[in-house]
Amino acid sequence: MPNCTRVIEFDAAHRVMEHESKCRNLHGHRYKIELTVAGELDSLGRVIDFGVMKSVFGGWVDQNLDHGCILFDADEDVAKLCEENGWRFFLMDSNPTAENMAELLFKKAEDLLPILKVIGLRLYETPNCWSEVTR
């Protein structure tokens, strides 16, 4: 089955609660997502228009994660700080590690692009560190 990949990038802060070193501090990254989907080719010979991937999936990322703070929902102190200052934040039901974020984004892509088979999502936290979910 043919597949295609779209890259989506965003900037966000996070912290990993109870991390044994400096990642327990609030800090930011330039995240890069590589989303790969598969499906039957349309009449033009495409799995999906890359612009649709950008507007649908990338639009969700932009509205919910970009230039915000991604937090574990147990991180009440930082969530309160964000709320008091009117800063954008997104709560996860787990620590916002690259692995947990990749899993969340994979599931979100499946929800947003239901006519396609999401076969892989790679989330780069830095240019040399990433997590990948495949099915």
Side-chain angles (χ1 to χ4, degrees), residues 7 29 31 78 114 120 135:
V7 172
H29 294 285
Y31 289 98
V78 178
R135 300 255 198 284

Side-chain angles (χ1 to χ4, degrees), residues 70-128:
I70 304 168
L71 302 171
F72 185 7
D73 59 12
D75 199 347
E76 296 172 2
D77 293 337
V78 178
K80 183 179 177 185
L81 179 67
C82 291
E83 194 169 50
E84 288 172 348
N85 286 283
W87 300 336
R88 176 186 285 194
F89 65 102
F90 181 86
L91 297 177
M92 294 180 55
D93 62 4
S94 57
N95 251 327
T97 61
E99 295 85 352
N100 287 336
M101 289 174 61
E103 184 71 30
L104 178 140
L105 289 165
F106 187 98
K107 290 176 183 173
K108 183 52 68 174
E110 287 182 316
D111 292 345
L112 294 170
L113 302 166
I115 62 169
L116 299 168
K117 182 176 182 178
V118 178
I119 60 172
L121 186 137
R122 180 178 283 185
L123 176 68
Y124 288 84
E125 192 172 84
T126 68
N128 57 355

Side-chain angles (χ1 to χ4, degrees), residues 33-49:
I33 302 165
E34 293 176 356
L35 173 63
T36 303
V37 297
E40 298 301 321
L41 297 180
D42 67 12
S43 63
L44 299 177
R46 307 169 300 184
V47 172
I48 186 173
D49 183 275

Side-chain angles (χ1 to χ4, degrees), residues 8-14 31 33 54-71 82 87-92 96 101 104-105 108-109 112:
I8 305 286
E9 297 185 77
F10 68 100
D11 299 291
H14 79 144
Y31 289 98
I33 302 165
K54 180 181 178 182
S55 65
V56 174
F57 180 71
W60 183 89
V61 169
D62 187 54
Q63 288 182 318
N64 292 279
L65 304 178
D66 189 44
H67 283 79
C69 192
I70 304 168
L71 302 171
C82 291
W87 300 336
R88 176 186 285 194
F89 65 102
F90 181 86
L91 297 177
M92 294 180 55
M101 289 174 61
L104 178 140
L105 289 165
K108 183 52 68 174
L112 294 170

